[in-house]
Amino acid sequence: MKIISQNTAFDGMQGVFSHESEACQCEMTFAVFVPPQAIKEKRPVLWYLSGLTCTHANVMEKGEYRRMAAELGLIIVCPDTSPRGNDVPDELTNWKMGKGAGMYLDATEKPWSDNYRMYTYITQELPALVSEHFRVDMDRQGIFGHSMGGHGAMTIALKNPETYKSCSAFAPIVSPSTADWTPDAFTKYLGEDQAAWRPYDACALVEDGARFPEFLIDQGTADSFLETGLKPWLFEEAIKGTDIGLTLRMHERYDHSYFFISTFMDDHLKWHAERLG
């Protein structure tokens, strides 16, 4: 693991690191905020998954999470959204596909399947690396994210309820199978058979029997992607008749930006802290 940068913040440490990833077959970069409590004891860890076109840096620079994370004693890990490098397949003119658009899945179609294995990276490889180098209590993990990252967080939680104790999302893509900006990527990553898409679709996972105790979703009503790409009401409909809890908060005038995310970041950190103990 290489140290790219380390800076003191709120008596904790904000670091950026890189390592050679076996899952993604390239060098991957991630950020970690270590609160002051982790100097002496293991602390809960909260994984933040960023959205389309983003890297680890977007939330690190604009998410405004460090003050509250330091107060609550939460370790925050911010992975990249996709594999990077000159040898990694990409579509340079398509922001919905390739680098920056890994969709937190394990691709099965060539040429993407060699590198685009973000599901394995997020759920297996990176946790093993983080637990080796930081004082992380791996029995107390939560996960959250924004947009594509919200999709990733919700699907990962639904498939791994024994690993994660909490999950929340900012403006998540709850039904990528029907959203206007994801079917093209799903087809290229996973093939044309939509049965292969269902393990990476929160609504489909619930329909197929996956369960998680509860979710917190914040969504802005001025979000330009709301009606065609995000559609949180579809998840609200999907969980009817199940024991899945949902707190869905719609916020007037808020859009899809980090101005929206930073406004409600404290609420999400407190939500997770209550459930992580």
Side-chain angles (χ1 to χ4, degrees):
M1 191 176 77
K2 302 176 185 176
I3 299 173
I4 296 175
S5 64
Q6 288 182 308
N7 301 95
T8 300
F10 298 98
D11 293 327
M13 184 276 295
Q14 176 65 67
V16 179
F17 309 91
S18 68
H19 71 111
E20 289 296 327
S21 167
E22 292 185 12
C24 299
Q25 293 296 300
C26 64
E27 187 174 57
M28 295 293 288
T29 301
F30 64 98
V32 181
F33 176 72
V34 180
Q37 298 91 330
I39 295 173
K40 296 182 179 180
E41 62 183 14
K42 289 186 175 182
R43 299 302 303 169
V45 60
L46 188 53
W47 304 88
Y48 178 89
L49 308 185
S50 289
L52 282 160
T53 75
C54 293
T55 69
H56 69 282
N58 294 77
V59 68
M60 184 180 74
E61 296 170 356
K62 297 182 286 188
E64 301 182 21
Y65 57 80
R66 279 173 287 271
R67 180 188 61 81
M68 184 55 66
E71 180 179 322
L72 297 171
L74 294 173
I75 294 173
I76 311 292
V77 182
C78 309
D80 201 348
T81 52
S82 59
R84 308 277 176 175
N86 294 332
D87 297 329
V88 173
D90 192 19
E91 291 188 2
L92 294 176
T93 60
N94 183 6
W95 63 272
K96 301 174 184 178
M97 183 70 197
K99 297 176 188 177
M103 292 293 174
Y104 301 104
L105 51 75
D106 281 354
T108 56
E109 302 295 303
K110 293 291 187 180
W112 313 100
S113 56
D114 289 341
N115 302 98
Y116 286 77
R117 302 184 66 242
M118 290 299 294
Y119 177 80
T120 294
Y121 178 71
I122 296 295
T123 61
Q124 298 179 31
E125 184 176 12
L126 190 57
L129 183 71
V130 168
S131 65
E132 180 182 349
H133 291 280
F134 302 93
R135 290 190 178 91
V136 175
D137 185 347
M138 299 303 285
D139 291 328
R140 294 189 289 169
Q141 297 186 66
I143 191 166
F144 69 147
H146 169 232
S147 193
M148 178 185 73
H151 136 76
M154 292 176 70
T155 56
I156 287 172
L158 282 163
K159 287 189 285 188
N160 300 278
E162 72 288 346
T163 300
Y164 305 95
K165 295 185 178 298
S166 58
C167 181
S168 70
F170 301 97
I173 308 171
V174 300
S175 179
S177 299
T178 63
D180 67 342
W181 50 359
T182 46
D184 179 60
F186 270 37
T187 300
K188 292 173 181 175
Y189 287 143
L190 301 170
E192 295 185 359
D193 183 0
Q194 294 195 16
W197 302 7
R198 296 183 70 82
Y200 302 106
D201 183 308
C203 290
L205 279 166
V206 171
E207 292 170 2
D208 293 343
R211 294 292 182 266
F212 196 77
E214 59 181 334
F215 295 90
L216 167 64
I217 295 176
D218 276 316
Q219 174 65 61
T221 61
D223 191 321
S224 60
F225 301 111
L226 176 59
E227 296 293 333
T228 58
L230 305 174
K231 302 183 281 190
W233 49 83
L234 294 181
F235 190 71
E236 196 172 31
E237 183 67 26
I239 65 171
K240 285 184 178 178
T242 74
D243 57 357
I244 298 173
L246 173 64
T247 301
L248 173 59
R249 308 192 304 182
M250 303 297 294
H251 302 281
E252 295 293 330
R253 307 194 313 278
Y254 283 93
D255 58 18
H256 201 67
S257 71
Y258 269 88
F259 295 107
F260 158 62
I261 296 169
S262 62
T263 299
F264 301 103
M265 178 62 76
D266 282 4
D267 291 353
H268 283 246
L269 297 184
K270 291 176 182 176
W271 162 278
H272 287 277
E274 289 175 359
R275 287 149 185 80
L276 296 175

